[in-house]
Amino acid sequence: MELDFIHTICPYCGTGCGVDLVVKDGTLVGTNPFKRHPVNEGKTCIKGSYCHEFVHRDDRLKTPLIRKNGELVEASWDEALELISGKLQNYSPEEVGFFSSARCTNEDNYVFQKFARTVIKTNNVDHCARLCHSATVVGLGQAFGSGAMTNSISDIEDADCIFIIGSNTFEQHPLIARRVVRAKEKGTKIIVIDPRYTPTAKQADLYLQLLPGTNIAVLNAIMHVLVKENLVDEEFIKNRTKGYEELKTTLETYTPEYASKLSGVAPELIVEAAKMYGSANAASILYCMGITQFTTGVNNVKSCCNLAMITGNIGKPGTGVNPLRGQNNVQGACDMGALPNVFPGYQAVPANHEKYAEAWNTCVDPNVGLSIPDMLAKAGEQVKCIYVMGENPMVSDPDIHHVEHALKSLDLLIVQDIFLTETAQVADVVLPGASWAEKDGTFSNTERRIQKINKAVDSPGEAIADWKIVKMLAEKMGQGELFNFETPEEVFQEIAKVTPQYAGVTYERLGVDGLHWPCKTCEDPGTPILHCEKCLTPDGLGNIFAIDYADPDEMADSEYPMTLTTGRIIFHYHTGTMTRRSKHMADEINEGFVEIHPEDAEKMGIKNKQKVKVSTRRGEVVVNAKITPNIKQGVVFMPFHFAETAANILTNPAQDPNCKIPEYKVCAAKVEKI
Ligand code: SF4
């Protein structure tokens, strides 16, 4: 039997590596890295190498399920859609909420938010960017006028200094880390700032181990030294920015010694980092959720922007402020307007509601909708129904006991997914979606590269592509004319019409390399580097902000003396729905752990691999201890992939008031041997 090789994009992290799915007799039998792909150049990480393994699992959802007498039982599509349609017609718009998906295609997300906005007439639509990079969207947006990575992945190799803060790039974005390694081989200096001595930190020329939540203190102190040592770019500051004088005044307080008291980083390391970054001709900042997931997430992002702007590291090769997006299409889900305050293309609500009413030929809600945390907070009261597409808040959201209570208090919970996730298990109706290998469409990766994905195999049972399910529901509700699409390409044609950054993009133009947005006309080759001549702000200037350090919401105290931080490991992806069903990944590691520093462990009488109880003000989890010198003393770390030892039972839902991102990365905790 002959093998077919279907080119597509890895479904895991936001790097967006090109792969070929190997198909034999209608079945996926392997994954090959795509040799000529501009992002990964013929390599994949371990997750990507086995990304086909979950697709044909026996436990895929194959028919709709409806809860009857407390049990989820199989139902026909007609029965399930009839039930949902009947219920939805009885709610007012503000009573319904939508969780869109960073795992689904642009086409799925576009159709889903359009359904919320045109059929239900609500802007209550959000997705998990709220929980990972909403601080990026707001912070970069305020500083530069666009909330996306400023430079491209390949561009990282052009830097003389790479400044990595709050990102374990080598485990979370391995094919971006490969660019860091190649730059290092050419002599680029690497600075890593992280509470854990991660595989990324081990590659650094200079490593600063800070306490979780003290990024601003360290960044301000680095900028204090830059000003003092005259390592700032006066020309760039004068011609391209505003707000520098106010920042300069704020920085006076942040001597390296003062920042050291707050962060635990030695003053001489802060000085060295400033000199290394400040003396580079081109310096690139990479950051991830170690910057965003704080009650000060937006200010953390803006501090990174300050650092880049005062040294002139914007708008040139090898520079920039580069958020590394966690999920395959979290950039695209944001671009598609799966957010409560913007329509597709970041067109603000309410300023653009008439424009979209005209484009969609129906009235739309002029009011900003609810975010995910707000929908959960109002569940059972204002919010009666939530429709979740391809998300798993029962594992991914902070304070899971509260999430469970919220979801169970709804009148109707609809979950559309490929497996019976922890969230689907508490749903009233479950709809079986097609996996990425079973559909055509596009993903937009972390560097704003729009890429085509291609169907390799058929869906199991009665599973259907997500956009098509939503269209079927709209038809059932008598609104089918709003979704007059027969193919994902037709959906994309409408996306290009209403999303300015995508206006010049067609499936045909995407080819294998894709296109970087903004790509505004058919002749536009796309934009790998933003802000070259001027920023995308209304006046074209970059906004520098004077930002002071503020403590995290919860600090270690006598009752909870440790600081808990959370994150990912290389073998698993997000809530583990796919990787824990992938044999090679599950064989590597399939249970949670808590990292404890040897001196802390000795004080608590805890041995390696011993079961311990980790508790916070929200709950407790029993998990294996992993004693390692790679964690800062006084800090403990848990991965959040494992539902049985869910780190998010413990995490703090306190939010950044500017973007509502929860403070996953720091809370007060207690560890006890049991
Ligand atoms: Fe997939 Fe990310 Fe690994 Fe690339 S780096 S193969 S996109 S998981």
Side-chain angles (χ1 to χ4, degrees):
M1 180 60 64
E2 276 195 11
L3 298 177
D4 284 326
F5 296 84
I6 307 296
H7 178 67
T8 195
I9 301 300
C10 174
Y12 291 128
C13 85
T15 306
C17 295
V19 294
D20 279 350
L21 291 175
V22 187
V23 185
K24 185 181 175 193
D25 205 12
T27 302
L28 295 179
V29 293
T31 306
N32 287 349
F34 186 69
K35 296 233 168 2
R36 286 178 290 110
H37 196 268
V39 172
N40 52 311
E41 299 175 318
K43 310 271 185 261
T44 47
C45 74
I46 187 163
K47 283 195 291 286
S49 301
Y50 299 105
C51 67
H52 61 283
E53 286 191 337
F54 65 86
V55 173
H56 299 306
R57 287 273 307 210
D58 286 345
D59 56 346
R60 279 287 301 275
L61 289 168
K62 298 182 191 77
T63 66
L65 306 172
I66 290 177
R67 191 169 296 281
K68 288 183 182 164
N69 301 320
E71 298 290 318
L72 284 170
V73 296
E74 290 188 5
S76 67
W77 271 109
D78 198 53
E79 196 183 350
L81 295 177
E82 192 69 41
L83 186 153
I84 296 170
S85 156
K87 287 255 191 186
L88 285 180
Q89 305 204 30
N90 288 329
Y91 302 127
S92 59
E94 63 277 10
E95 290 178 335
V96 187
F98 293 82
F99 290 14
S100 205
S101 175
R103 281 161 41 198
C104 291
T105 62
N106 286 326
E107 292 76 2
D108 295 328
N109 277 286
Y110 177 79
V111 168
F112 194 70
Q113 63 82 38
K114 185 177 176 185
F115 179 88
R117 290 184 157 126
T118 60
V119 178
I120 305 300
K121 313 277 185 212
T122 182
N123 288 313
N124 292 348
V125 57
D126 203 1
H127 73 287
C128 71
R130 176 73 44 215
L131 312 174
C132 60
H133 273 289
S134 56
T136 290
V137 176
V138 174
L140 290 189
Q142 289 182 6
F144 302 132
S146 166
M149 192 162 160
T150 61
N151 289 49
S152 70
I153 291 171
S154 62
D155 183 85
I156 292 167
E157 287 187 45
D158 294 331
D160 302 312
C161 175
I162 303 174
F163 184 97
I164 305 176
I165 182 163
S167 161
N168 181 6
T169 321
F170 281 69
E171 289 202 75
Q172 312 323 336
H173 299 88
L175 269 293
I176 293 179
R178 179 172 168 266
R179 303 287 183 167
V180 176
V181 171
R182 286 184 15 170
K184 188 178 155 95
E185 283 166 1
K186 291 188 268 182
T188 299
K189 296 289 181 209
I190 314 294
I191 302 168
V192 173
I193 304 179
D194 199 295
R196 296 168 66 223
Y197 189 49
T198 59
T200 311
K202 287 172 190 165
Q203 297 295 323
D205 295 287
L206 187 62
Y207 169 54
L208 280 61
Q209 189 170 45
L210 82 179
L211 279 167
T214 61
N215 293 297
I216 290 170
V218 173
L219 287 163
N220 274 355
I222 288 173
M223 288 187 272
H224 173 101
V225 176
L226 289 170
V227 173
K228 210 168 130 204
E229 299 282 330
N230 203 19
L231 287 168
V232 295
D233 185 336
E234 298 284 0
E235 233 5 65
F236 187 91
I237 293 168
K238 186 164 141 248
N239 298 329
R240 298 281 315 267
T241 71
K242 60 185 189 204
Y244 176 59
E245 289 307 320
E246 291 84 345
L247 171 67
K248 215 166 140 188
T249 307
T250 300
L251 294 180
E252 282 168 15
T253 316
Y254 291 86
T255 62
E257 292 71 24
Y258 175 62
S260 178
K261 282 192 196 121
L262 296 168
S263 66
V265 178
E268 52 278 14
L269 292 180
I270 292 174
V271 173
E272 212 180 321
K275 289 183 177 169
M276 199 177 270
Y277 180 86
S279 57
N281 284 326
S284 171
I285 297 173
L286 309 184
Y287 75 82
C288 202
M289 290 180 278
I291 278 287
T292 57
Q293 288 181 329
F294 295 95
T295 45
T296 55
V298 170
N299 280 345
N300 290 351
V301 171
K302 292 200 289 200
S303 268
C304 292
C305 300
N306 285 345
L307 176 60
M309 280 190 277
I310 68 168
T311 51
N313 279 303
I314 283 294
K316 300 184 297 192
T319 66
V321 183
N322 298 300
L324 306 182
R325 309 296 296 255
Q327 302 209 53
N328 55 317
N329 197 36
V330 67
Q331 181 66 56
C334 292
D335 301 346
M336 294 302 103
L339 295 165
N341 61 334
V342 289
F343 294 110
Y346 306 95
Q347 309 279 292
V349 177
N352 293 282
H353 90 276
E354 280 172 7
K355 180 172 156 186
Y356 281 88
E358 197 182 323
W360 290 330
N361 198 22
T362 185
C363 59
V364 296
D365 181 8
N367 301 303
V368 169
L370 298 175
S371 65
I372 285 178
D374 287 347
M375 287 186 240
L376 291 172
K378 292 175 193 275
E381 291 164 15
Q382 177 194 319
V383 176
K384 304 278 194 301
C385 166
I386 292 180
Y387 185 168
V388 180
M389 174 178 79
E391 293 225 346
N392 191 9
M394 283 287 290
V395 181
S396 63
D397 288 28
D399 192 1
I400 288 173
H401 289 324
H402 160 74
V403 175
E404 183 173 5
H405 173 76
L407 295 180
K408 286 184 171 168
S409 61
L410 292 166
D411 180 49
L412 179 67
L413 174 63
I414 308 158
V415 175
Q416 185 167 307
D417 213 306
I418 59 173
F419 291 106
L420 195 67
T421 61
E422 289 74 11
T423 307
Q425 286 166 30
V426 298
D428 299 293
V429 186
V430 179
L431 304 175
S435 81
W436 110 108
E438 297 149 7
K439 59 189 173 189
D440 293 316
T442 53
F443 291 160
S444 300
N445 78 351
T446 187
E447 56 172 348
R448 300 171 279 104
R449 187 190 294 268
I450 309 161
Q451 307 196 86
K452 182 77 179 47
I453 69 160
N454 298 301
K455 178 177 170 172
V457 290
D458 289 333
S459 304
E462 297 173 27
I464 296 177
D466 293 282
W467 69 270
K468 234 183 221 175
I469 297 172
V470 179
K471 173 184 150 97
M472 283 159 52
L473 181 59
E475 284 166 352
K476 184 65 90 181
M477 295 178 73
Q479 304 279 335
E481 75 281 0
L482 291 166
F483 299 86
N484 215 0
F485 317 113
E486 292 307 319
T487 63
E489 187 166 13
E490 288 178 14
V491 179
F492 195 87
Q493 285 160 356
E494 183 169 308
I495 292 171
K497 266 192 208 139
V498 302
T499 312
Q501 298 88 334
Y502 285 56
V505 184
T506 62
Y507 272 17
E508 200 184 349
R509 284 195 74 201
L510 287 178
V512 162
D513 289 0
L515 284 164
H516 292 271
W517 68 254
C519 175
K520 295 192 169 172
T521 66
C522 296
E523 292 76 41
D524 186 343
T527 316
I529 303 180
L530 297 177
H531 319 304
C532 291
E533 304 298 326
K534 55 181 185 166
C535 293
L536 293 166
T537 49
D539 60 8
L541 296 175
N543 290 311
I544 289 175
F545 294 91
I547 292 165
D548 264 311
Y549 166 79
D551 283 338
D553 180 68
E554 257 187 23
M555 301 286 277
D557 56 22
S558 53
E559 198 184 349
Y560 293 97
M562 306 297 287
T563 298
L564 170 68
T565 191
T566 63
R568 303 175 185 213
I569 58 174
I570 190 168
F571 301 110
H572 288 290
Y573 172 72
H574 215 240
T575 65
T577 305
M578 299 188 288
T579 45
R580 295 192 70 192
R581 288 177 171 89
S582 172
K583 184 181 176 321
H584 281 84
M585 299 303 102
D587 284 352
E588 289 287 349
I589 181 166
N590 207 16
E591 59 181 339
F593 56 84
V594 58
E595 286 185 357
I596 308 172
H597 190 276
E599 288 187 31
D600 291 328
E602 197 182 328
K603 270 189 230 149
M604 295 185 272
I606 293 169
K607 302 257 179 302
N608 198 31
K609 297 190 179 165
Q610 187 179 358
K611 286 249 181 283
V612 295
K613 183 169 81 177
V614 185
S615 46
T616 67
R617 292 187 169 84
R618 289 150 296 278
E620 58 187 51
V621 171
V622 173
V623 65
N624 292 329
K626 179 176 173 184
I627 297 174
T628 169
N630 294 338
I631 186 95
K632 193 168 176 69
Q633 225 177 316
V635 180
V636 290
F637 166 84
M638 285 178 72
F640 72 90
H641 312 290
F642 304 100
E644 314 84 282
T645 54
N648 283 325
I649 285 176
L650 306 170
T651 46
N652 187 357
Q655 298 166 13
D656 182 317
N658 300 302
C659 68
K660 308 209 167 168
I661 199 165
E663 193 153 67
Y664 287 100
K665 290 291 182 195
V666 53
C667 68
K670 180 162 60 181
V671 182
E672 300 159 281
K673 65 176 181 178
I674 52 172

